[in-house]
């Protein structure tokens, strides 16, 4: 199953490599990983998407918790949560496909950020699945470049991941 | 008080109560060595190879429970230390390793003797630090000792760039009394509800067994384990790392379990209906084939590290906590309980176990004209009254020492279990002898292993650490040869050393006493003579039967009840079909 693990960790140079090293050393898979400082500059927040059986996910969270730099973590998939990912897509445009791409972007609630005579840059946010769906809908021939941030997320309700 | 970084480092070690530091100098740590020279509170032991420093510090740590301390230079000094760090990591041994680093300004420029020690050591340390500011040295050292020695212990590396220890830069010094790391809160007493649930299960078990490991030694809970086991009257088995945590001469003890465990220990595990795992981590050398592991048992597991629980084997009652307080609570509950273990069930269970014991799985040919390695260990046990500290290397000799030296006390059996590092035994013995100068210290080794850190014989002379090296010389990498005999139709590919040195001359060249023993009747007198030489290191080169194998053996991929047993002299196998 797919899990989104959200980690609060010390904002120190070695912290990221400790997490990445743990995943490669133990053979866990990482689908995506995003990290940035939080409102508290001493902490950064990492969101990591991984897949595995319940037993593997249990080991992953336990092993992450063992890292001294990890302050706290939650597995967002365990309860109601909101997931978002940012994607930028550069597509080739022609007389023939311009209208179609524009309307598709509208349907997916994306925005066109940049236009040249032969390209569009489209911005889109949403759960990773929605971004996948957009890519699947666009003619692959017209795609020049896709950049995705990796998923990030937050739990619903009053609870939150903080110190 | 204003001190330089180098002085702060040494003063911090002094204030931490460090007695010995095992090290080797080099460019990046010269400021530190200069500071060492000008004091005598912390004693430095100069080894002959940085691997030796880590193993000696490790031996000291295993024998005392205190963190071992190592000091090495950057680059090759640091990389030479890695094997010893990984050895300590796998067995959860507290250790603080200080490595020099190139000056801050040139880090990352492929400077002379630069390696990324923080990066290299990351997968085999509990934590590591790069000190970037002289004002942070004292606090970092305090943190390093705190992390290394609390919770599940482990090695911590502190990498210090040369400019941070510059003698010209002085800053105020104060060693912190306490440190707090917000993301690190070990030491837990165990969940009350889970402990109660475990005790209920224990009191209604019919075929229980206590499977205890290194966590009992590390957690200083031998006394509690003994009281707990005797209160219940249940059989106890120990892992290789747990030997000594429960007295081997006690009648509840059924020997070591696992790949080279006793027949009775492994059969009891297999047939059990309740496994009480105490500070043990279900290593693959213990479980054998996972899907056939303890098929009839519920499992209770006490461990300080949540990641050890249900890692390979799913457990029924997990208890995250220090063994000592958890066992204390269990003892109270058992004493207060109206329920007691079923006498009748336990009688039947013990009768079954006695039956397994009657196979006498550790018997060997005592009439052989050649020296049997098992016999040597038995004689060593008798000559030292079972009181020696015994270190070992890795191989058959290690298994024989574990099987035939009956350890009644914790911290007496000192070996590399998790990493299985050849070369560990001799330097570890030096560390042990420094920690316990009056005790008998023996290093049981093989002619291949001993050559991996033989240079430390020189250290043993310099620091007058009289140890007795018991070299079970079978002219083979015996453990490798055994696997090749069983699994590769006796094709002994590169498991024979063609040019074995004359160990007697070698010992003498290093300034020690050497003895060569090749007849069974010489073994006892030679050991007695060696141990009578209180102030000398003695190298006993004992020529043993080359063909001897370690039994019982669970070959890899097999289950506990599927053991290979010794074929006896009469040609009948003691192996038998079990229902
Ligand atoms: C050639 C060779 C053959 C081997 N054959 C065997 C064999 O036949 N049988 C065998 O048993 N081993 C054997 N081993 C050793 C094996 O590889 C493992 O090292 C060993 O089984 C692990 O022992 P352990 O489970 O006691 O764990 P350890 O490695 O000692 O780990 C201790 C456990 O206790 C926990 N712990 C630590 N402190 C505390 C505390 N205060 N409170 C609670 N929990 C704590 C830790 O988190 C950890 O889970 C062999 C090794 C070699 C090299
Ligand atoms: C550093 C290292 N290299 C290789 C091995 C693999 N290995 C395990 S036991 C062994 C043979 C040890 O031979 P010896 O020291 O003579 O002991 P014996 O088995 O003969 O008692 C080897 C090579 C190891 N454990 N450690
Ligand atoms: Mg050998």
């Amino acid at each position: 199953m797919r899990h989104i693990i959200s980690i609060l960790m010390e904002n120190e140079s070695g912290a990221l490599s400790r997490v990445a090293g743990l995943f490669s050393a133990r053979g866990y898979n990482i689908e995506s990983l995003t990290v940035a400082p939080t409102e508290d500059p001493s902490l950064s927040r990492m969101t990591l998407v991984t897949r595995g059986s319940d037993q593997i996910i249990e080991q992953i969270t336990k092993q992450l918790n063992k890292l001294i730099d990890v302050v706290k973590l939650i597995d967002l998939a365990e309860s109601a949560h909101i997931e978002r990912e940012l994607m930028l897509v550069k597509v080739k445009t022609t007389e023939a496909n311009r209208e179609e791409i524009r309307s598709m972007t509208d349907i997916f609630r994306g925005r066109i950020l940049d236009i040249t005579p032969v390209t569009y840059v489209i911005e889109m946010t949403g759960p990773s699945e929605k971004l996948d769906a957009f890519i699947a809908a666009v003619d692959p021939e017209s795609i020049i470049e896709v950049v995705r941030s990796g998923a990030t997320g937050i739990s619903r309700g009053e609870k939150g991941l903080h110190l | 008080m204003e001190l330089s970084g180098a002085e702060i480092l040494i003063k911090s070690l002094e204030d931490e109560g460090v007695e010995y530091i095992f090290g080797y100098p080099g460019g990046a740590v010269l400021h530190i060595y200069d500071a060492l020279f000008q004091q005598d509170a912390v004693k430095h032991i100069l080894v002959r190879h940085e691997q030796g420093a880590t193993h000696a510090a490790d031996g000291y740590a295993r024998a005392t429970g205190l963190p071992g301390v190592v000091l090495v230079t950057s680059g090759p000094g640091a990389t030479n230390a890695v094997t010893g760090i990984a050895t300590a990591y796998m067995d959860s041994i507290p250790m603080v390793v200080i490595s020099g680093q190139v000056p801050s300004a040139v880090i990352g420029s492929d400077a002379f003797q630069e390696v990324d020690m923080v990066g290299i050591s990351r997968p085999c340390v509990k934590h590591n630090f790069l000190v970037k500011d002289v004002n942070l040295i004292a606090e970092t050292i305090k943190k390093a000792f705190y992390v290394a020695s609390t919770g599940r212990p482990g090695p911590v590396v502190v990498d210090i760039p040369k400019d941070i220890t510059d003698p010209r830069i002085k800053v105020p010094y104060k060693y912190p009394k306490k440190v707090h790391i917000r993301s690190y809160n070990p030491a837990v007493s165990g969940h009350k509800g889970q402990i109660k649930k475990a005790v209920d299960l224990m009191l209604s078990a019919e075929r229980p067994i206590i499977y205890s490991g290194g966590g009992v030694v590390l957690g200083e809970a031998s006394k509690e384990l003994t009281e707990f086991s005797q209160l219940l009257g249940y059989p106890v088995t120990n892992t290789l790392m747990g030997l000594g945590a429960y007295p081997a001469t006690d009648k509840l003890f059924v020997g070591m379990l696992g790949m080279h465990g006793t027949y009775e220990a492994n059969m009891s595990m297999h047939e059990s209906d309740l496994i009480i795992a105490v500070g043990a981590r279900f290593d693959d050398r213990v479980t054998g084939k996972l899907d056939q592991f303890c098929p009839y048992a519920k499992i209770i597991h006490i461990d300080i590290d949540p990641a050890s629980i249900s890692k390979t084997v799913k457990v029924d009652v997990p208890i995250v906590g220090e063994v000592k307080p958890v066992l204390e609570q269990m003892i109270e509950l058992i004493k207060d309980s109206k329920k007691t273990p079923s006498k009748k069930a336990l009688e039947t269970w013990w009768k079954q176990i006695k039956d397994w014991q009657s196979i006498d799985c550790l018997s060997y040919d005592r009439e052989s004209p050649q020296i049997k390695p098992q016999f040597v260990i038995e004689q060593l046990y008798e000559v030292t009254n079972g009181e020696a500290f015994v270190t070992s290397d890795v191989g058959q000799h290690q298994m024989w020492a574990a099987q035939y030296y009956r350890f009644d006390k914790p911290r007496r059996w000192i070996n590399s279990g998790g990493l299985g590092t050849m070369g560990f035994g001799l330097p570890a013995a030096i560390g042990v002898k420094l920690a316990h100068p009056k005790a008998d210290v023996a290093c049981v080794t093989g002619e291949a292993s001993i050559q991996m850190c033989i240079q430390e014989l020189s250290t043993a002379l310099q620091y007058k650490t009289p140890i007795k090296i018991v070299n079970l010389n079978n002219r083979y990498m015996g453990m490798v040869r055994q696997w090749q005999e069983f699994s590769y139709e006796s094709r002994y590919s590169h498991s024979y050393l063609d040019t074995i040195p004359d160990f007697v001359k070698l010992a003498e060249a290093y300034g020690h006493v050497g003895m060569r023993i090749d007849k069974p009747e010489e073994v006892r007198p030679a050991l007695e003579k060696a141990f009578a030489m209180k102030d000398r290191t003695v190298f006993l080169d004992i020529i043993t039967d080359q063909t001897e194998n370690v039994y019982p053996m669970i070959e890899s991929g097999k289950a506990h009840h599927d053991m290979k047993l010794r074929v006896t002299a009469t040609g009948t196998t003691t192996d038998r079909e079990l229902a």
Side-chain angles (χ1 to χ4, degrees), chain B residues 90 152 213-215 218-219 239-241 256-260 279-281 283 285-286 303-305 308 321-323 398-399 417-418 420:
Chain B
M90 289 296 279
R152 179 175 183 172
L218 296 164
T239 67
L240 183 72
M241 301 315 293
M256 181 170 85
L257 82 167
M259 182 174 276
H260 292 299
R281 60 183 172 85
D283 183 80
R285 291 246 153 162
V286 164
D303 203 293
I304 189 131
D305 179 2
S308 276
E322 289 263 3
V323 270
Q398 175 186 25
M399 293 299 109

mmCIF file of all heavy atoms in Angstrom, chain B residues 90 152 213-215 218-219 239-241 256-260 279-281 283 285-286 303-305 308 321-323 398-399 417-418 420, ligand 1:
data_model
loop_
_atom_site.group_PDB
_atom_site.id
_atom_site.type_symbol
_atom_site.label_atom_id
_atom_site.label_comp_id
_atom_site.label_asym_id
_atom_site.label_seq_id
_atom_site.Cartn_x
_atom_site.Cartn_y
_atom_site.Cartn_z
ATOM 1 N N MET B 90 26.920 -3.609 15.470
ATOM 2 C CA MET B 90 26.090 -4.810 15.332
ATOM 3 C C MET B 90 25.778 -5.457 16.676
ATOM 4 O O MET B 90 24.757 -6.120 16.819
ATOM 5 C CB MET B 90 26.792 -5.831 14.427
ATOM 6 C CG MET B 90 26.835 -5.413 12.977
ATOM 7 S SD MET B 90 25.202 -5.296 12.224
ATOM 8 C CE MET B 90 24.898 -7.016 11.848
ATOM 9 N N ARG B 152 19.290 1.709 23.513
ATOM 10 C CA ARG B 152 20.067 0.609 22.921
ATOM 11 C C ARG B 152 21.434 1.176 22.617
ATOM 12 O O ARG B 152 21.579 2.033 21.750
ATOM 13 C CB ARG B 152 19.396 0.121 21.643
ATOM 14 C CG ARG B 152 20.180 -0.990 20.974
ATOM 15 C CD ARG B 152 19.449 -1.538 19.776
ATOM 16 N NE ARG B 152 20.187 -2.656 19.195
ATOM 17 C CZ ARG B 152 19.725 -3.429 18.228
ATOM 18 N NH1 ARG B 152 18.542 -3.195 17.730
ATOM 19 N NH2 ARG B 152 20.438 -4.420 17.771
ATOM 20 N N GLY B 213 18.962 -12.782 25.585
ATOM 21 C CA GLY B 213 20.073 -12.391 24.726
ATOM 22 C C GLY B 213 20.949 -11.299 25.293
ATOM 23 O O GLY B 213 20.932 -11.004 26.497
ATOM 24 N N GLY B 214 21.691 -10.691 24.393
ATOM 25 C CA GLY B 214 22.651 -9.654 24.751
ATOM 26 C C GLY B 214 22.042 -8.488 25.505
ATOM 27 O O GLY B 214 22.730 -7.818 26.273
ATOM 28 N N GLY B 215 20.756 -8.242 25.309
ATOM 29 C CA GLY B 215 20.093 -7.129 25.998
ATOM 30 C C GLY B 215 20.128 -7.276 27.513
ATOM 31 O O GLY B 215 20.127 -6.275 28.238
ATOM 32 N N LEU B 218 23.697 -6.155 28.375
ATOM 33 C CA LEU B 218 23.799 -4.704 28.176
ATOM 34 C C LEU B 218 22.982 -3.953 29.226
ATOM 35 O O LEU B 218 23.371 -2.883 29.672
ATOM 36 C CB LEU B 218 23.292 -4.329 26.775
ATOM 37 C CG LEU B 218 24.109 -4.894 25.610
ATOM 38 C CD1 LEU B 218 23.321 -4.802 24.300
ATOM 39 C CD2 LEU B 218 25.424 -4.140 25.472
ATOM 40 N N GLY B 219 21.844 -4.509 29.601
ATOM 41 C CA GLY B 219 20.954 -3.844 30.552
ATOM 42 C C GLY B 219 21.225 -4.222 31.999
ATOM 43 O O GLY B 219 20.432 -3.876 32.883
ATOM 44 N N THR B 239 21.268 -16.694 23.744
ATOM 45 C CA THR B 239 21.916 -16.513 22.446
ATOM 46 C C THR B 239 23.420 -16.467 22.673
ATOM 47 O O THR B 239 23.894 -16.383 23.814
ATOM 48 C CB THR B 239 21.518 -15.182 21.788
ATOM 49 O OG1 THR B 239 22.058 -14.119 22.592
ATOM 50 C CG2 THR B 239 20.018 -15.028 21.682
ATOM 51 N N LEU B 240 24.162 -16.454 21.590
ATOM 52 C CA LEU B 240 25.616 -16.308 21.680
ATOM 53 C C LEU B 240 25.971 -15.047 22.477
ATOM 54 O O LEU B 240 26.931 -15.034 23.236
ATOM 55 C CB LEU B 240 26.210 -16.228 20.271
ATOM 56 C CG LEU B 240 27.723 -16.141 20.191
ATOM 57 C CD1 LEU B 240 28.368 -17.468 20.547
ATOM 58 C CD2 LEU B 240 28.173 -15.710 18.798
ATOM 59 N N MET B 241 25.201 -13.986 22.279
ATOM 60 C CA MET B 241 25.510 -12.722 22.946
ATOM 61 C C MET B 241 25.022 -12.686 24.383
ATOM 62 O O MET B 241 25.425 -11.831 25.157
ATOM 63 C CB MET B 241 24.900 -11.545 22.175
ATOM 64 C CG MET B 241 25.364 -11.423 20.738
ATOM 65 S SD MET B 241 27.133 -11.633 20.553
ATOM 66 C CE MET B 241 27.722 -10.176 21.393
ATOM 67 N N MET B 256 23.027 -22.859 24.677
ATOM 68 C CA MET B 256 22.797 -21.855 23.642
ATOM 69 C C MET B 256 21.805 -22.409 22.622
ATOM 70 O O MET B 256 21.686 -23.614 22.459
ATOM 71 C CB MET B 256 24.136 -21.546 22.975
ATOM 72 C CG MET B 256 24.077 -20.491 21.880
ATOM 73 S SD MET B 256 25.735 -19.971 21.353
ATOM 74 C CE MET B 256 26.138 -21.232 20.150
ATOM 75 N N LEU B 257 21.099 -21.513 21.949
ATOM 76 C CA LEU B 257 20.201 -21.957 20.876
ATOM 77 C C LEU B 257 20.761 -21.492 19.529
ATOM 78 O O LEU B 257 21.763 -20.794 19.471
ATOM 79 C CB LEU B 257 18.788 -21.421 21.090
ATOM 80 C CG LEU B 257 18.471 -19.977 20.651
ATOM 81 C CD1 LEU B 257 16.977 -19.766 20.659
ATOM 82 C CD2 LEU B 257 19.138 -18.945 21.530
ATOM 83 N N GLY B 258 20.100 -21.891 18.480
ATOM 84 C CA GLY B 258 20.477 -21.388 17.162
ATOM 85 C C GLY B 258 21.326 -22.366 16.366
ATOM 86 O O GLY B 258 21.382 -23.553 16.670
ATOM 87 N N MET B 259 21.978 -21.813 15.356
ATOM 88 C CA MET B 259 22.720 -22.615 14.383
ATOM 89 C C MET B 259 23.637 -23.664 15.034
ATOM 90 O O MET B 259 23.665 -24.811 14.612
ATOM 91 C CB MET B 259 23.558 -21.697 13.495
ATOM 92 C CG MET B 259 24.332 -22.430 12.431
ATOM 93 S SD MET B 259 25.158 -21.296 11.317
ATOM 94 C CE MET B 259 23.867 -20.927 10.168
ATOM 95 N N HIS B 260 24.380 -23.254 16.080
ATOM 96 C CA HIS B 260 25.244 -24.204 16.777
ATOM 97 C C HIS B 260 24.805 -24.376 18.226
ATOM 98 O O HIS B 260 25.619 -24.626 19.115
ATOM 99 C CB HIS B 260 26.706 -23.776 16.671
ATOM 100 C CG HIS B 260 27.234 -23.877 15.270
ATOM 101 N ND1 HIS B 260 27.288 -25.075 14.590
ATOM 102 C CD2 HIS B 260 27.687 -22.933 14.404
ATOM 103 C CE1 HIS B 260 27.772 -24.860 13.369
ATOM 104 N NE2 HIS B 260 28.013 -23.570 13.235
ATOM 105 N N GLY B 279 15.450 -9.280 25.637
ATOM 106 C CA GLY B 279 16.648 -8.605 25.107
ATOM 107 C C GLY B 279 17.371 -9.422 24.059
ATOM 108 O O GLY B 279 18.595 -9.528 24.073
ATOM 109 N N ALA B 280 16.624 -10.014 23.154
ATOM 110 C CA ALA B 280 17.207 -10.802 22.064
ATOM 111 C C ALA B 280 16.521 -10.359 20.784
ATOM 112 O O ALA B 280 15.374 -9.916 20.820
ATOM 113 C CB ALA B 280 16.986 -12.289 22.298
ATOM 114 N N ARG B 281 17.208 -10.505 19.641
ATOM 115 C CA ARG B 281 16.656 -9.852 18.453
ATOM 116 C C ARG B 281 16.295 -10.772 17.291
ATOM 117 O O ARG B 281 16.254 -10.354 16.144
ATOM 118 C CB ARG B 281 17.585 -8.737 17.991
ATOM 119 C CG ARG B 281 18.984 -9.184 17.612
ATOM 120 C CD ARG B 281 19.856 -8.004 17.244
ATOM 121 N NE ARG B 281 21.225 -8.385 17.062
ATOM 122 C CZ ARG B 281 21.738 -8.864 15.925
ATOM 123 N NH1 ARG B 281 20.978 -8.991 14.875
ATOM 124 N NH2 ARG B 281 23.001 -9.189 15.849
ATOM 125 N N ASP B 283 17.728 -13.031 15.564
ATOM 126 C CA ASP B 283 18.708 -13.038 14.475
ATOM 127 C C ASP B 283 18.518 -14.283 13.607
ATOM 128 O O ASP B 283 18.050 -15.318 14.088
ATOM 129 C CB ASP B 283 20.111 -13.044 15.105
ATOM 130 C CG ASP B 283 21.207 -12.988 14.062
ATOM 131 O OD1 ASP B 283 21.471 -11.882 13.575
ATOM 132 O OD2 ASP B 283 21.779 -14.044 13.734
ATOM 133 N N ARG B 285 20.655 -16.345 12.616
ATOM 134 C CA ARG B 285 21.437 -17.487 13.104
ATOM 135 C C ARG B 285 20.701 -18.190 14.243
ATOM 136 O O ARG B 285 21.079 -19.271 14.681
ATOM 137 C CB ARG B 285 22.806 -17.034 13.620
ATOM 138 C CG ARG B 285 23.702 -16.549 12.529
ATOM 139 C CD ARG B 285 24.891 -17.462 12.347
ATOM 140 N NE ARG B 285 25.369 -17.371 10.975
ATOM 141 C CZ ARG B 285 26.562 -17.765 10.579
ATOM 142 N NH1 ARG B 285 27.409 -18.287 11.425
ATOM 143 N NH2 ARG B 285 26.909 -17.678 9.315
ATOM 144 N N VAL B 286 19.677 -17.539 14.756
ATOM 145 C CA VAL B 286 18.906 -18.111 15.859
ATOM 146 C C VAL B 286 17.607 -18.722 15.351
ATOM 147 O O VAL B 286 17.225 -19.822 15.746
ATOM 148 C CB VAL B 286 18.604 -17.022 16.919
ATOM 149 C CG1 VAL B 286 17.493 -17.455 17.855
ATOM 150 C CG2 VAL B 286 19.865 -16.699 17.703
ATOM 151 N N ASP B 303 12.079 -5.677 24.685
ATOM 152 C CA ASP B 303 13.252 -5.074 24.035
ATOM 153 C C ASP B 303 13.158 -3.559 24.127
ATOM 154 O O ASP B 303 12.077 -2.988 24.012
ATOM 155 C CB ASP B 303 13.344 -5.497 22.566
ATOM 156 C CG ASP B 303 14.766 -5.377 22.005
ATOM 157 O OD1 ASP B 303 15.266 -4.247 21.883
ATOM 158 O OD2 ASP B 303 15.362 -6.430 21.713
ATOM 159 N N ILE B 304 14.300 -2.927 24.322
ATOM 160 C CA ILE B 304 14.306 -1.472 24.438
ATOM 161 C C ILE B 304 14.123 -0.788 23.083
ATOM 162 O O ILE B 304 13.722 0.369 23.008
ATOM 163 C CB ILE B 304 15.621 -1.005 25.091
ATOM 164 C CG1 ILE B 304 15.572 0.485 25.419
ATOM 165 C CG2 ILE B 304 16.807 -1.239 24.185
ATOM 166 C CD1 ILE B 304 15.986 0.807 26.764
ATOM 167 N N ASP B 305 14.416 -1.537 22.030
ATOM 168 C CA ASP B 305 14.351 -0.946 20.698
ATOM 169 C C ASP B 305 13.088 -1.425 19.985
ATOM 170 O O ASP B 305 13.000 -2.594 19.617
ATOM 171 C CB ASP B 305 15.604 -1.369 19.912
ATOM 172 C CG ASP B 305 15.608 -0.804 18.499
ATOM 173 O OD1 ASP B 305 14.658 -0.058 18.147
ATOM 174 O OD2 ASP B 305 16.546 -1.115 17.746
ATOM 175 N N SER B 308 13.416 -3.664 16.995
ATOM 176 C CA SER B 308 13.789 -5.080 17.136
ATOM 177 C C SER B 308 12.541 -5.953 17.228
ATOM 178 O O SER B 308 12.599 -7.149 17.000
ATOM 179 C CB SER B 308 14.618 -5.301 18.407
ATOM 180 O OG SER B 308 15.967 -5.023 18.180
ATOM 181 N N GLY B 321 10.837 -1.706 26.464
ATOM 182 C CA GLY B 321 11.351 -1.197 27.727
ATOM 183 C C GLY B 321 12.695 -1.796 28.057
ATOM 184 O O GLY B 321 13.165 -2.711 27.394
ATOM 185 N N GLU B 322 13.300 -1.242 29.108
ATOM 186 C CA GLU B 322 14.559 -1.764 29.627
ATOM 187 C C GLU B 322 14.268 -3.105 30.280
ATOM 188 O O GLU B 322 13.327 -3.207 31.082
ATOM 189 C CB GLU B 322 15.107 -0.827 30.715
ATOM 190 C CG GLU B 322 15.626 0.492 30.217
ATOM 191 C CD GLU B 322 17.142 0.465 30.044
ATOM 192 O OE1 GLU B 322 17.749 -0.590 30.257
ATOM 193 O OE2 GLU B 322 17.689 1.519 29.677
ATOM 194 N N VAL B 323 15.102 -4.100 30.035
ATOM 195 C CA VAL B 323 14.849 -5.409 30.632
ATOM 196 C C VAL B 323 14.752 -5.360 32.145
ATOM 197 O O VAL B 323 13.886 -6.005 32.729
ATOM 198 C CB VAL B 323 15.924 -6.487 30.291
ATOM 199 C CG1 VAL B 323 15.550 -7.216 29.045
ATOM 200 C CG2 VAL B 323 17.308 -5.930 30.213
ATOM 201 N N GLN B 398 35.387 -20.203 18.042
ATOM 202 C CA GLN B 398 34.443 -19.317 18.736
ATOM 203 C C GLN B 398 33.235 -20.127 19.224
ATOM 204 O O GLN B 398 32.780 -19.973 20.360
ATOM 205 C CB GLN B 398 33.997 -18.239 17.740
ATOM 206 C CG GLN B 398 32.922 -17.283 18.230
ATOM 207 C CD GLN B 398 32.449 -16.352 17.095
ATOM 208 O OE1 GLN B 398 32.556 -16.683 15.913
ATOM 209 N NE2 GLN B 398 31.931 -15.192 17.454
ATOM 210 N N MET B 399 32.746 -21.000 18.343
ATOM 211 C CA MET B 399 31.585 -21.810 18.710
ATOM 212 C C MET B 399 31.945 -22.788 19.827
ATOM 213 O O MET B 399 31.175 -22.999 20.754
ATOM 214 C CB MET B 399 31.065 -22.575 17.487
ATOM 215 C CG MET B 399 30.486 -21.660 16.414
ATOM 216 S SD MET B 399 29.065 -20.712 17.031
ATOM 217 C CE MET B 399 29.738 -19.062 17.117
ATOM 218 N N GLY B 417 29.531 -11.132 17.588
ATOM 219 C CA GLY B 417 28.455 -12.015 17.135
ATOM 220 C C GLY B 417 27.782 -11.524 15.869
ATOM 221 O O GLY B 417 27.585 -12.254 14.916
ATOM 222 N N GLY B 418 27.426 -10.267 15.854
ATOM 223 C CA GLY B 418 26.627 -9.732 14.760
ATOM 224 C C GLY B 418 27.413 -9.557 13.480
ATOM 225 O O GLY B 418 26.958 -9.920 12.400
ATOM 226 N N GLY B 420 30.702 -10.677 13.211
ATOM 227 C CA GLY B 420 31.593 -11.824 13.066
ATOM 228 C C GLY B 420 32.946 -11.396 12.534
ATOM 229 O O GLY B 420 33.397 -11.844 11.492
HETATM 230 C C1 LIG C 1 30.282 -17.935 13.306
HETATM 231 C C2 LIG C 1 29.085 -17.445 14.034
HETATM 232 C C3 LIG C 1 28.098 -18.329 14.434
HETATM 233 C C4 LIG C 1 26.998 -17.901 15.173
HETATM 234 N N1 LIG C 1 26.097 -18.829 15.622
HETATM 235 C C5 LIG C 1 25.154 -18.460 16.513
HETATM 236 C C6 LIG C 1 24.314 -19.415 17.162
HETATM 237 O O1 LIG C 1 24.397 -20.608 16.932
HETATM 238 N N2 LIG C 1 23.417 -18.978 18.067
HETATM 239 C C7 LIG C 1 23.305 -17.651 18.392
HETATM 240 O O2 LIG C 1 22.505 -17.311 19.262
HETATM 241 N N3 LIG C 1 24.047 -16.729 17.769
HETATM 242 C C8 LIG C 1 24.981 -17.106 16.859
HETATM 243 N N4 LIG C 1 25.777 -16.135 16.283
HETATM 244 C C9 LIG C 1 25.577 -14.723 16.655
HETATM 245 C C10 LIG C 1 24.466 -14.065 15.856
HETATM 246 O O3 LIG C 1 24.981 -13.674 14.612
HETATM 247 C C11 LIG C 1 23.911 -12.817 16.601
HETATM 248 O O4 LIG C 1 24.957 -11.938 16.889
HETATM 249 C C12 LIG C 1 23.246 -13.164 17.909
HETATM 250 O O5 LIG C 1 22.385 -14.272 17.770
HETATM 251 C C13 LIG C 1 22.435 -11.973 18.419
HETATM 252 O O6 LIG C 1 22.206 -12.101 19.772
HETATM 253 P P1 LIG C 1 20.973 -11.412 20.500
HETATM 254 O O7 LIG C 1 19.702 -11.814 19.856
HETATM 255 O O8 LIG C 1 21.140 -11.702 21.927
HETATM 256 O O9 LIG C 1 21.094 -9.873 20.158
HETATM 257 P P2 LIG C 1 22.142 -8.710 20.470
HETATM 258 O O10 LIG C 1 22.845 -8.415 19.205
HETATM 259 O O11 LIG C 1 22.925 -8.942 21.677
HETATM 260 O O12 LIG C 1 21.106 -7.524 20.658
HETATM 261 C C14 LIG C 1 20.542 -7.231 21.883
HETATM 262 C C15 LIG C 1 19.061 -6.945 21.774
HETATM 263 O O13 LIG C 1 18.646 -6.500 23.071
HETATM 264 C C16 LIG C 1 18.137 -5.185 22.995
HETATM 265 N N5 LIG C 1 18.587 -4.454 24.170
HETATM 266 C C17 LIG C 1 19.777 -3.850 24.377
HETATM 267 N N6 LIG C 1 19.822 -3.292 25.593
HETATM 268 C C18 LIG C 1 18.640 -3.541 26.167
HETATM 269 C C19 LIG C 1 18.067 -3.211 27.428
HETATM 270 N N7 LIG C 1 18.747 -2.532 28.360
HETATM 271 N N8 LIG C 1 16.799 -3.613 27.672
HETATM 272 C C20 LIG C 1 16.088 -4.302 26.737
HETATM 273 N N9 LIG C 1 16.578 -4.634 25.543
HETATM 274 C C21 LIG C 1 17.841 -4.271 25.273
HETATM 275 C C22 LIG C 1 18.620 -4.613 21.695
HETATM 276 O O14 LIG C 1 17.715 -3.630 21.223
HETATM 277 C C23 LIG C 1 18.703 -5.844 20.795
HETATM 278 O O15 LIG C 1 17.468 -6.111 20.194
HETATM 279 C C24 LIG C 1 26.865 -16.545 15.498
HETATM 280 C C25 LIG C 1 27.827 -15.638 15.070
HETATM 281 C C26 LIG C 1 28.935 -16.067 14.356
HETATM 282 C C27 LIG C 1 29.966 -15.074 13.958
#
